Coordinates of all heavy atoms in Angstrom, one line a residue:
Y2 N 0.9 -1.2 0.0 CA 0.0 0.0 0.0 C 0.8 1.3 0.0 O 0.5 2.2 -0.7 CB -1.0 0.0 1.2 CG -2.3 -0.7 0.8 CD1 -2.3 -2.1 0.9 CD2 -3.4 -0.1 0.3 CE1 -3.5 -2.8 0.5 CE2 -4.5 -0.8 -0.1 CZ -4.6 -2.1 0.0 OH -5.6 -2.8 -0.4
A3 N 1.9 1.2 0.7 CA 2.9 2.4 0.7 C 3.5 2.6 -0.6 O 3.6 3.8 -1.1 CB 4.0 2.2 1.8
A4 N 3.8 1.5 -1.3 CA 4.4 1.7 -2.7 C 3.3 2.2 -3.6 O 3.7 3.0 -4.5 CB 4.9 0.3 -3.1
S5 N 2.1 1.7 -3.5 CA 1.1 2.2 -4.4 C 0.7 3.7 -4.2 O 0.4 4.5 -5.1 CB -0.2 1.4 -4.2 OG -1.1 1.6 -5.3
V6 N 0.8 4.1 -2.9 CA 0.7 5.5 -2.6 C 1.8 6.3 -3.3 O 1.6 7.4 -3.9 CB 0.6 5.8 -1.1 CG1 0.7 7.3 -0.8 CG2 -0.7 5.3 -0.5
E7 N 3.0 5.9 -3.2 CA 4.2 6.5 -3.8 C 4.0 6.5 -5.3 O 4.3 7.6 -5.9 CB 5.5 5.8 -3.4 CG 6.7 6.6 -3.9 CD 6.8 8.0 -3.4 OE1 6.3 8.3 -2.2 OE2 7.3 8.9 -4.1
L8 N 3.5 5.5 -5.9 CA 3.1 5.5 -7.3 C 2.1 6.5 -7.7 O 2.2 7.2 -8.7 CB 2.8 4.1 -7.8 CG 3.8 3.1 -8.0 CD1 3.3 1.7 -8.1 CD2 4.6 3.4 -9.2
A9 N 1.1 6.7 -6.8 CA 0.1 7.6 -7.1 C 0.7 9.1 -7.0 O 0.3 10.0 -7.9 CB -1.0 7.5 -6.1
R10 N 1.6 9.3 -6.2 CA 2.3 10.6 -6.2 C 3.1 10.9 -7.4 O 3.2 12.0 -7.9 CB 3.3 10.7 -4.9 CG 2.6 10.7 -3.6 CD 3.5 10.7 -2.4 NE 4.1 12.1 -2.4 CZ 4.9 12.5 -1.5 NH1 5.2 11.7 -0.5 NH2 5.4 13.7 -1.5
E11 N 3.7 9.8 -8.0 CA 4.5 9.9 -9.2 C 3.7 10.0 -10.5 O 3.9 10.7 -11.4 CB 5.5 8.8 -9.3 CG 6.5 8.7 -8.1 CD 7.3 7.4 -8.1 OE1 7.2 6.6 -9.1 OE2 7.9 7.1 -7.1
R12 N 2.7 9.1 -10.6 CA 2.0 8.9 -11.9 C 0.5 9.1 -11.7 O -0.2 9.1 -12.8 CB 2.1 7.4 -12.2 CG 3.5 6.9 -12.3 CD 3.7 5.5 -12.7 NE 5.0 5.0 -12.6 CZ 5.3 3.7 -12.8 NH1 4.4 2.8 -12.9 NH2 6.6 3.4 -12.8
G13 N -0.1 9.4 -10.6 CA -1.4 9.7 -10.4 C -2.2 8.4 -9.8 O -1.8 7.3 -10.0
A14 N -3.3 8.7 -9.2 CA -4.2 7.7 -8.7 C -4.9 7.0 -9.8 O -5.1 7.5 -10.9 CB -5.2 8.3 -7.7
F15 N -5.5 5.8 -9.5 CA -6.2 5.1 -10.5 C -7.4 5.9 -10.8 O -8.0 6.7 -10.0 CB -6.6 3.7 -10.0 CG -7.6 3.6 -8.9 CD1 -9.0 3.5 -9.1 CD2 -7.1 3.5 -7.6 CE1 -9.8 3.5 -8.0 CE2 -8.0 3.4 -6.5 CZ -9.3 3.4 -6.8
P16 N -7.8 5.9 -12.1 CA -8.9 6.9 -12.6 C -10.3 6.9 -11.8 O -10.9 7.9 -11.6 CB -9.1 6.5 -14.0 CG -7.8 6.0 -14.5 CD -7.3 5.2 -13.2
A17 N -10.7 5.8 -11.2 CA -11.9 5.7 -10.5 C -11.7 6.0 -9.1 O -12.7 5.8 -8.3 CB -12.5 4.2 -10.7
F18 N -10.7 6.5 -8.7 CA -10.4 6.7 -7.2 C -11.2 7.9 -6.7 O -11.4 9.0 -7.3 CB -8.9 7.1 -7.0 CG -8.5 7.4 -5.5 CD1 -8.6 6.5 -4.6 CD2 -8.2 8.7 -5.3 CE1 -8.3 6.7 -3.3 CE2 -7.8 9.1 -3.9 CZ -7.9 8.0 -3.0
D19 N -11.8 7.8 -5.5 CA -12.5 8.8 -4.8 C -12.1 8.5 -3.3 O -12.6 7.4 -2.7 CB -14.0 8.6 -4.9 CG -14.9 9.7 -4.1 OD1 -14.6 9.7 -2.9 OD2 -15.7 10.4 -4.7
A20 N -11.4 9.3 -2.7 CA -10.8 9.1 -1.4 C -11.8 8.8 -0.3 O -11.7 7.8 0.4 CB -9.9 10.3 -1.0
E21 N -12.9 9.6 -0.2 CA -13.8 9.4 0.8 C -14.6 8.0 0.6 O -14.8 7.3 1.6 CB -14.8 10.6 0.9 CG -14.1 11.8 1.4 CD -13.3 11.6 2.8 OE1 -13.8 11.0 3.7 OE2 -12.1 12.1 2.7
L22 N -15.0 7.8 -0.6 CA -15.7 6.5 -0.8 C -14.8 5.3 -0.7 O -15.1 4.3 -0.1 CB -16.3 6.5 -2.2 CG -17.5 7.6 -2.4 CD1 -17.9 7.6 -3.8 CD2 -18.6 7.3 -1.4
Y23 N -13.6 5.4 -1.2 CA -12.6 4.3 -1.1 C -12.3 3.9 0.3 O -12.2 2.7 0.7 CB -11.3 4.7 -1.8 CG -10.2 3.6 -2.0 CD1 -10.3 2.6 -3.0 CD2 -9.2 3.6 -1.2 CE1 -9.5 1.6 -3.1 CE2 -8.2 2.6 -1.2 CZ -8.4 1.6 -2.2 OH -7.4 0.6 -2.3
L24 N -12.2 4.9 1.2 CA -11.8 4.7 2.6 C -13.0 4.6 3.5 O -12.9 4.7 4.8 CB -10.9 5.9 3.1 CG -9.5 5.9 2.4 CD1 -8.8 7.1 2.7 CD2 -8.7 4.7 2.8
S25 N -14.3 4.5 2.9 CA -15.5 4.6 3.7 C -15.5 3.3 4.7 O -15.0 2.3 4.4 CB -16.7 4.6 2.9 OG -16.8 3.5 2.1
R26 N -16.3 3.5 5.7 CA -16.4 2.6 6.8 C -16.9 1.2 6.3 O -17.8 1.1 5.5 CB -17.3 3.1 7.8 CG -17.4 2.2 9.0 CD -18.3 2.8 10.1 NE -18.4 2.0 11.2 CZ -17.9 2.4 12.4 NH1 -17.5 3.6 12.6 NH2 -17.8 1.5 13.4
G27 N -16.1 0.2 6.7 CA -16.6 -1.2 6.4 C -15.8 -1.9 5.2 O -15.7 -3.1 5.1
T28 N -15.1 -1.0 4.4 CA -14.3 -1.6 3.4 C -13.0 -2.1 3.9 O -12.5 -1.8 4.9 CB -14.1 -0.6 2.2 OG1 -13.2 0.4 2.7 CG2 -15.4 0.0 1.7
F29 N -12.3 -2.9 3.1 CA -10.9 -3.3 3.5 C -10.0 -2.1 3.7 O -9.3 -2.1 4.7 CB -10.4 -4.3 2.4 CG -8.9 -4.7 2.7 CD1 -8.7 -5.7 3.5 CD2 -7.8 -4.0 2.1 CE1 -7.4 -6.1 3.8 CE2 -6.6 -4.4 2.5 CZ -6.3 -5.4 3.3
A30 N -10.1 -1.1 2.8 CA -9.2 0.0 2.9 C -9.5 0.8 4.2 O -8.6 1.4 4.8 CB -9.4 0.9 1.7
S31 N -10.7 0.8 4.7 CA -11.0 1.5 6.0 C -10.4 0.9 7.2 O -10.3 1.5 8.2 CB -12.5 1.5 6.2 OG -13.0 0.3 6.6
R32 N -9.8 -0.4 7.1 CA -9.2 -1.0 8.2 C -7.7 -1.0 8.0 O -7.0 -1.6 8.9 CB -9.7 -2.5 8.2 CG -11.1 -2.5 8.6 CD -11.7 -4.0 8.9 NE -11.6 -4.9 7.7 CZ -12.4 -5.0 6.8 NH1 -13.5 -4.3 6.8 NH2 -12.2 -5.9 5.8
L33 N -7.2 -0.3 7.1 CA -5.7 -0.2 7.0 C -5.2 0.7 8.1 O -6.0 1.4 8.7 CB -5.3 0.5 5.6 CG -5.6 -0.2 4.4 CD1 -5.4 0.6 3.2 CD2 -4.6 -1.4 4.3
P34 N -3.9 0.5 8.4 CA -3.4 1.3 9.6 C -3.6 2.8 9.3 O -3.6 3.3 8.0 CB -1.9 1.0 9.5 CG -1.8 -0.4 8.9 CD -2.9 -0.4 8.0
A35 N -3.7 3.6 10.3 CA -4.1 5.1 10.2 C -3.1 5.8 9.2 O -3.6 6.6 8.5 CB -4.2 5.7 11.6
H36 N -1.8 5.6 9.4 CA -0.9 6.3 8.5 C -1.1 6.0 7.1 O -0.9 7.0 6.2 CB 0.6 6.0 9.0 CG 1.1 4.7 8.7 ND1 0.8 3.6 9.4 CD2 1.9 4.4 7.6 CE1 1.4 2.5 8.8 NE2 2.1 3.0 7.8
L37 N -1.4 4.8 6.7 CA -1.7 4.5 5.3 C -3.0 5.2 4.9 O -3.1 5.7 3.7 CB -1.7 3.0 5.1 CG -0.4 2.3 5.1 CD1 -0.6 0.8 5.1 CD2 0.6 2.7 4.1
R38 N -4.0 5.1 5.7 CA -5.3 5.8 5.3 C -5.1 7.3 5.1 O -5.6 7.9 4.2 CB -6.3 5.5 6.4 CG -6.8 4.1 6.5 CD -8.1 3.9 7.2 NE -8.1 4.7 8.5 CZ -7.8 4.2 9.7 NH1 -7.3 3.0 9.8 NH2 -7.8 4.9 10.8
E39 N -4.3 7.9 6.0 CA -4.0 9.3 5.8 C -3.2 9.6 4.5 O -3.5 10.6 3.8 CB -3.2 9.9 7.0 CG -3.0 11.3 7.0 CD -4.3 12.1 6.7 OE1 -5.4 11.8 7.3 OE2 -4.3 13.1 5.9

């Protein structure tokens, strides 16, 4: 996940990305460690 965040900084997020929806409660991404979610 850290590598993919760094790739997003370099090349952009995947086109369908919406931070609030992606990290919404109940999804796998919502249970990532706090520093990765941030």
Side-chain angles (χ1 to χ4, degrees):
Y2 274 83
S5 190
V6 167
E7 187 58 33
L8 280 166
R10 289 179 73 175
E11 296 169 15
R12 303 176 187 172
F15 67 90
F18 179 69
D19 178 307
E21 291 311 310
L22 294 174
Y23 186 80
L24 295 167
S25 64
R26 187 179 184 116
T28 68
F29 177 82
S31 73
R32 294 188 299 274
L33 290 169
H36 73 281
L37 287 172
R38 291 192 317 268
E39 186 51 42

